[in-house]
Amino acid sequence: MKEAQAFRPFETLAEALIPHSHEGDDGSHDLAHILRVFKNAMRIQASEGGNGRTLAAAVLLHDCVAVEKSSPLRARASALAAEKASGVLADLGWSKEDIAAVAHAILTHSFSVNIEPETLEAKILQDADRLDAIGMVGAGRCFYIGGRMASSLYDPLDPAGNDRPLDDRRYVIDHFQTKLFKLADGFKTAAGRALAAERDKRLRDFLDAFMDEI
């Protein structure tokens, strides 16, 4: 499988897990997203340590169940993914302890589930995934998801939300303030925090430029 080569040095594991790694047609949670998260995770792990095999499996399967942002099941997405991942890894002969480590990382990576990661691998996965939500890629994903949800770009009378409640389901730009600008303060690793600071600045510069243009 050609795609698996991009996940070196875990290409053999990737070949086994890519067929289970994502569902549906969501371009913000596709194989490209998984590969970006993998690169983020490997970059953080190079500084922080941790079990590479566990981390790679968790990255490859962290979005293996597709739940749209607008779905009432969204808060359970990571739990459903952890459950599916556990079954996939069991079929591959993984031990119960190793499966539990991967499942914990997948469960706790989600912003909406609000469960603290307890292991280094879980902390790295959470940081790696959140890095993909900020910076230029994060801005692009934000607008892409807004389009899938049929949201407007912004309120034409009050784009910044100075005199109205913020509503990121109705206006894409509101999502910067309701969620994206809050992410950088919650990173769990030193390497992740350093990368997040750079991307958070890019995201804020982007919003400043966007507001200037409108």
Side-chain angles (χ1 to χ4, degrees):
M1 183 186 296
K2 184 178 179 180
E3 295 91 344
Q5 299 304 311
F7 292 86
R8 289 189 296 269
F10 299 100
E11 58 267 42
T12 301
L13 178 63
E15 187 165 9
L17 296 185
I18 285 174
H20 308 282
S21 64
H22 57 288
E23 302 174 333
D25 62 351
D26 182 357
S28 67
H29 294 92
D30 56 4
L31 187 61
H33 163 69
I34 293 168
L35 181 56
R36 290 192 303 270
V37 174
F38 176 78
K39 291 178 178 178
N40 292 338
M42 293 298 103
R43 188 172 178 182
I44 295 171
Q45 193 226 5
S47 296
E48 304 286 340
N51 186 300
R53 177 173 176 261
T54 297
L55 183 58
V59 169
L60 282 156
L61 296 175
H62 78 280
D63 280 335
C64 64
V65 174
V67 181
E68 290 284 352
K69 291 285 188 183
S70 57
S71 170
L73 292 176
R74 184 62 193 173
R76 295 197 62 236
S78 65
L80 295 171
E83 182 179 346
K84 177 181 174 180
S86 296
V88 170
L89 295 176
D91 289 343
L92 293 176
W94 281 47
S95 70
K96 289 182 180 180
E97 293 78 9
D98 289 346
I99 291 172
V102 172
H104 172 72
I106 293 173
L107 174 65
T108 59
H109 90 274
S110 171
F111 182 85
S112 57
V113 76
N114 196 28
I115 299 175
E116 280 293 311
E118 297 178 359
T119 65
L120 178 56
E121 293 78 19
K123 293 174 182 178
I124 293 174
L125 174 61
Q126 186 181 100
D127 283 3
D129 186 59
R130 292 185 183 185
L131 280 172
D132 206 51
I134 55 180
M136 292 296 94
V137 171
R141 292 179 72 213
C142 183
F143 284 99
Y144 172 88
I145 293 168
R148 287 179 69 89
M149 296 174 63
S151 304
S152 298
L153 292 181
Y154 58 90
D155 180 345
L157 302 181
D158 185 7
N162 294 321
D163 297 308
R164 61 173 175 83
L166 295 172
D167 184 355
D168 60 358
R169 289 185 177 272
R170 187 173 182 185
Y171 303 117
V172 175
I173 280 298
D174 286 13
H175 195 61
F176 284 65
Q177 294 187 65
T178 60
K179 179 179 178 181
L180 301 186
F181 287 160
K182 299 176 181 179
L183 293 179
D185 289 336
F187 276 65
K188 299 298 189 289
T189 67
R193 284 191 294 273
L195 293 168
E198 296 175 5
R199 297 198 187 189
D200 181 70
K201 184 181 184 304
R202 293 174 193 166
L203 195 64
R204 292 175 187 274
D205 288 346
F206 172 88
L207 184 59
D208 287 344
F210 185 94
M211 288 298 187
D212 180 70
E213 291 188 10
I214 62 174

